[in-house]
Amino acid sequence: MATNSIAKSYGIPTVLKELGISKTNYGASSGTKHISTKGKQIDSYSPVDGQLIASVNAATAKDYANVLASAETAFKTWRLMPAPKRGEIVRQVGDELRKYKEPLGKLVSYEMGKSLQEGLGEVQEMIDICDFAVGLSRQLYGLTMHSERPMHRMYEQWHPIGVVGIISAFNFPVAVWSWNAALAWVCGDVCVWKPSSKVPLCAIACQNIISSVFKKNNVPEGVSCLVIGNESGDLINTDKRIPLVSFTGSTRVGRHVSKTVAERFGTTILELGGNNAIIVSEHADLGMVLIGSVFGAVGTAGQRCTSTRRLIIHESVYEKTKHILQKAYSQLHIGNPLDANNHVGPLIDKQAVINYLNAIKKAQKSGAKMIVEGGVLTGKGYESGCYVKPCIIEAKNDLEIVQEETFAPILYVMKYKTLEEAVAMQNAVPQGLSSSLFTNNMREMELFLSHAGSDCGIANINIGTSGAEIGGAFGGEKETGGGRESGSDAWKAYMRRQTNTINYGNSLPLAQGITFAV
């Protein structure tokens, strides 16, 4: 279990022990109680070195049923606890995550393949959303409205909805779960989490970390549940006892989730694909463009839904921008993400490598031109077969492959003449997650952020497309799904709205002036 040279050099055996990860792990949990599952064995291999970290037995349908029964029972108690008290428990969860930030961040890096800095940053996002949720627990506000009837008062209030299903993706093994769970908990909901089968150990580690907090506070068993394996994902989607499913993943799978949940009149939060563009104005600071576009394109090896896929450059600075990008790419260090000297780690698995190579071939067959060559790295340090070269391709925006999202470090570059043309190019893809304009021209900024500008859920000025703060609602439009998670008023998705009218008079007037004599 993770005893190879790289694992030993970076203390992975110690990390696993500290986080309660053993050679074989449970695939289901109702909180503090772990269920010894007997489903299909899931082996977690690190894309860093290709070595087996540990194994998990997936949850069976019976295991899932037991977990859901615990969740339903827990909800009846949890919802009655005052929201500020639920917030206090979430505050303690955040404190516990602070204690385990380093080992959990290192596990995220080793199991998923993102840089150690990004792994630690992901755990920090978990801490931040807990802090946000603590304040939110005292701000679950409703409105008071004036009634048209005398001696009547109207107001609205928000109630917990019940069991929230969370299905997360491999690229953010822990943060996306916390965005949902922390808010759902303070809203009075309970959660059932189905993590990606590519990174199950990170999920088990999270459950281990928070279980001590729940036990100390006598939190009902079932408030935070975990089920591992694809079968559980299908069960969540079809389960009428789960009114809300938050799904993060591909647009293809998202369509299935949306249809399945909608057929039973459930609701969804969908965080699907992105095809994000940076527009580089003639008025841009190219030094800032360099940082924003390179990190956006190669950070997490291009495996973020907010990764920069397209660079739309004004014709007057096109060649200069290409030149500085080529120079920057030639200086990238690709390798073990636990080594702080490296900029780019591996893709998640060999299938992702195949997808990367197929996208390059498809672009070349369509007439696109390679500006920075790609390829798979082999030899010492690249034994996992998951390391690839970030590449830049000069292509037209309407090419089929450019219209698609490839989860890999491929950046397409193209030129424009007017900002209106650039915005139209940016918007002319099926996805609508993140977007960015680099300019020092105020008029261009305002146009980009206006009704005639970006059609994405996130629109930035002079920063890249990747990365988001938990204070703002995160999500996108079109085939990105339309869901919102994390900050702002995203909490409303985890509650049901109720309008109340109180008649404190001695008569019963009807609305709209209707009279009814008995």
Side-chain angles (χ1 to χ4, degrees):
M1 184 183 77
T3 57
N4 57 83
S5 58
I6 287 181
K8 285 184 177 179
S9 298
Y10 290 91
I12 298 301
T14 302
V15 164
L16 296 175
K17 185 177 181 180
E18 193 172 353
L19 296 173
I21 305 296
S22 59
K23 186 176 181 180
T24 303
N25 302 272
Y26 59 86
S29 168
S30 57
T32 61
K33 294 180 181 178
H34 305 325
I35 299 172
S36 180
T37 52
K38 300 188 184 302
K40 180 181 177 183
Q41 180 172 303
I42 299 172
D43 297 325
S44 179
Y45 290 91
S46 171
V48 175
D49 52 17
Q51 298 297 310
L52 176 67
I53 310 173
S55 300
V56 181
N57 286 326
T60 64
K62 182 179 179 181
D63 299 326
Y64 172 85
N66 290 334
V67 165
L68 256 291
S70 294
E72 283 193 295
T73 300
F75 174 62
K76 295 174 183 176
T77 304
W78 182 248
R79 66 184 176 183
L80 298 178
M81 182 183 293
K85 290 189 176 182
R86 297 193 296 258
E88 165 57 20
I89 293 169
V90 172
R91 183 194 66 77
Q92 294 176 39
V93 169
D95 285 346
E96 201 69 10
L97 288 168
R98 285 179 172 88
K99 295 178 188 177
Y100 289 92
K101 179 177 177 179
E102 185 174 347
L104 183 56
K106 192 171 285 189
L107 177 60
V108 168
S109 177
Y110 187 62
E111 188 176 29
M112 186 268 152
K114 63 175 59 176
S115 73
L116 178 56
Q117 279 186 308
E118 291 182 75
L120 294 171
E122 184 168 346
V123 180
Q124 186 60 50
E125 283 193 40
M126 303 175 77
I127 296 166
D128 292 343
I129 196 63
C130 285
D131 288 348
F132 180 90
V134 174
L136 177 64
S137 69
R138 295 180 182 271
Q139 300 178 76
L140 302 174
Y141 299 137
L143 298 173
T144 298
M145 292 80 74
H146 288 281
S147 173
E148 66 184 47
R149 290 168 284 184
M151 305 190 80
H152 280 59
R153 181 166 71 88
M154 292 179 64
Y155 69 97
E156 67 179 24
Q157 58 180 331
W158 297 83
H159 296 296
I161 57 173
V163 183
V164 174
I166 304 169
I167 303 175
S168 61
F170 76 84
N171 58 332
F172 280 85
V174 294
V176 171
W177 164 72
S178 70
W179 291 355
N180 288 275
L183 297 194
W185 288 334
V186 297
C187 288
D189 302 321
V190 300
C191 299
V192 177
W193 179 19
K194 203 294 286 185
S196 167
S197 295
K198 296 180 180 181
V199 284
L201 304 181
C202 288
I204 293 171
C206 288
Q207 196 78 344
N208 290 342
I209 290 169
I210 67 174
S211 63
S212 63
V213 174
F214 283 13
K215 187 179 293 184
K216 181 174 66 177
N217 288 275
N218 295 314
V219 172
E221 197 70 22
V223 169
S224 179
C225 298
L226 176 68
V227 284
I228 294 173
N230 291 336
E231 182 181 2
S232 293
D234 291 334
L235 291 171
I236 287 172
N237 293 330
T238 56
D239 197 330
K240 292 181 179 181
R241 296 170 293 178
I242 300 179
L244 171 65
V245 176
S246 176
F247 172 81
T248 302
S250 69
T251 298
R252 178 184 62 82
V253 178
R255 280 196 178 94
H256 168 72
V257 173
S258 178
K259 180 180 178 181
T260 303
V261 177
E263 282 179 344
R264 59 176 178 82
F265 292 102
T267 58
T268 53
I269 297 173
L270 300 175
E271 299 290 355
L272 310 178
N275 194 345
N276 317 295
I278 291 177
I279 298 173
V280 181
S281 164
E282 60 187 311
H283 307 291
D285 180 328
L286 295 185
M288 294 173 67
V289 169
L290 179 65
I291 297 170
S293 58
V294 174
F295 176 74
V298 310
T300 326
Q303 296 173 113
R304 292 185 177 211
C305 53
T306 54
S307 290
T308 305
R309 310 287 177 202
R310 297 173 294 144
L311 208 58
I312 304 170
I313 309 166
H314 190 270
E315 59 184 5
S316 66
V317 292
Y318 185 72
E319 294 300 328
K320 186 176 182 179
T321 304
K322 280 201 308 181
H323 175 72
I324 63 174
L325 285 171
Q326 288 171 314
K327 184 177 180 181
Y329 270 54
S330 69
Q331 297 171 349
L332 291 174
H333 295 166
I334 307 167
N336 173 13
L338 293 166
D339 184 342
N341 294 314
N342 291 324
H343 301 105
V344 186
L347 293 176
I348 186 65
D349 55 26
K350 291 182 180 178
Q351 183 57 54
V353 174
I354 293 171
N355 295 341
Y356 158 86
L357 293 173
N358 287 341
I360 293 174
K361 288 179 184 177
K362 194 170 182 179
Q364 289 177 315
K365 285 183 179 180
S366 300
K369 178 183 177 183
M370 299 298 299
I371 303 300
V372 173
E373 295 288 337
V376 181
L377 294 169
T378 58
K380 188 176 181 180
Y382 305 122
E383 289 86 356
S384 71
C386 296
Y387 291 88
V388 301
K389 297 178 183 178
C391 65
I392 302 177
I393 303 175
E394 193 172 52
K396 294 186 180 299
N397 194 57
D398 59 359
L399 289 185
E400 184 180 355
I401 189 60
V402 177
Q403 294 284 308
E404 299 172 3
E405 178 192 43
T406 303
F407 239 45
I410 300 174
L411 178 64
Y412 299 105
V413 297
M414 55 204 73
K415 66 176 68 172
Y416 76 91
K417 291 184 178 181
T418 67
L419 183 61
E420 289 78 6
E421 177 190 3
V423 170
M425 291 169 66
Q426 178 210 274
N427 294 345
V429 293
Q431 310 84 358
L433 179 52
S434 187
S435 58
S436 178
L437 167 66
F438 277 81
T439 184
N440 289 325
N441 184 301
M442 187 181 71
R443 289 180 176 176
E444 290 187 331
M445 295 179 191
E446 293 297 334
L447 176 63
F448 183 72
L449 300 176
S450 73
H451 299 318
S454 171
D455 66 357
C456 295
I458 299 169
N460 299 326
I461 300 293
N462 292 331
I463 63 171
T465 60
S466 66
E469 296 183 33
I470 59 94
F474 179 87
E477 303 299 326
K478 301 187 294 188
E479 288 191 2
T480 300
R484 293 296 186 273
E485 293 172 327
S486 194
S488 185
D489 66 347
W491 62 270
K492 292 180 178 178
Y494 305 90
M495 304 193 83
R496 59 183 176 86
R497 187 197 310 246
Q498 184 181 77
T499 301
N500 306 114
T501 306
I502 299 172
N503 177 0
Y504 57 91
N506 296 320
S507 61
L508 205 163
L510 302 179
Q512 293 88 46
I514 296 173
T515 58
F516 182 75
V518 179

